[in-house]
Amino acid sequence: MAGSFDEELAQAAARLVVEEGLEFGPAKQRALKQLKLPARTALPANDLVEAAVREYLAVFCTDTQPAELLALRQLALQWMDRLQAFQPLLSGAVWHGTATRLSDIYLHLFSDDPKAVEIALINEGVAYEATRVAGLRGAEADALSIHAWSDTLGEDIGVHLLVHDTLAQRGSLQPDQQQRKPRGTAKQLRELIEQA
């Protein structure tokens, strides 16, 4: 019985991820409410939601998603090149290949001086909003959120720069439990773009 709830919740969450651009956590919470399940119902694992997202994209978005993903990856690469001094790594849906035009871009940056990224943005005249979020391995990180224009998509895309101490780089490219790389370098992203 729990397995069917997991699957149903994952599919409902996947639809919200694709159609509304929600992150997995909020999508699972909304799906729980939409399905009128008890608040204490166990939520499906992110792997199950990601599999449901891939399935949803394969069924409903084959005509639009590949081009949107490519545009987001190209925009991410532009920002990785601009911020190369901070050894950027791309993560999230844009890296994993499940992004649509509603998805945001997540870049992990590394610096011994936590204000260096802010100074770089100020020097380039880039407006940003600063918050604190859970970063790599759950450690708190500064998050600088900007709006970046995509000519291809004809709209602003959210780009979130998560700033970590240089030591946090250690192990940041280790494969996850499914033996996938959870993040990628600009070189690896270029290779994905060339294969598209």
Side-chain angles (χ1 to χ4, degrees), residues 64-76:
T64 56
Q65 193 265 344
E68 292 174 1
L69 173 63
L70 180 59
L72 290 170
R73 284 179 165 172
Q74 290 168 334
L75 183 61

Side-chain angles (χ1 to χ4, degrees), residues 115-133:
K115 294 295 177 194
V117 178
E118 289 189 59
I119 292 166
L121 293 177
I122 290 166
N123 288 343
E124 287 196 36
V126 177
Y128 63 89
E129 184 179 313
T131 56
R132 297 281 288 166
V133 298

Side-chain angles (χ1 to χ4, degrees), residues 114-194:
K115 294 295 177 194
V117 178
E118 289 189 59
I119 292 166
L121 293 177
I122 290 166
N123 288 343
E124 287 196 36
V126 177
Y128 63 89
E129 184 179 313
T131 56
R132 297 281 288 166
V133 298
L136 296 174
R137 292 180 286 285
E140 277 223 330
D142 288 329
L144 309 175
S145 297
I146 62 176
H147 294 282
W149 180 257
S150 166
D151 284 333
T152 308
L153 297 174
E155 62 187 87
D156 273 331
I157 302 298
V159 179
H160 307 284
L161 311 173
L162 283 66
V163 184
H164 306 280
D165 185 276
T166 306
L167 289 176
Q169 272 181 297
R170 204 172 290 150
S172 60
L173 291 173
Q174 290 299 314
D176 63 15
Q177 293 163 341
Q178 287 77 42
Q179 297 305 307
R180 300 175 310 170
K181 289 194 175 183
R183 288 165 280 283
T185 64
K187 180 179 183 285
Q188 292 166 328
L189 180 57
R190 267 191 188 85
E191 290 167 5
L192 287 177
I193 289 170
E194 286 165 12

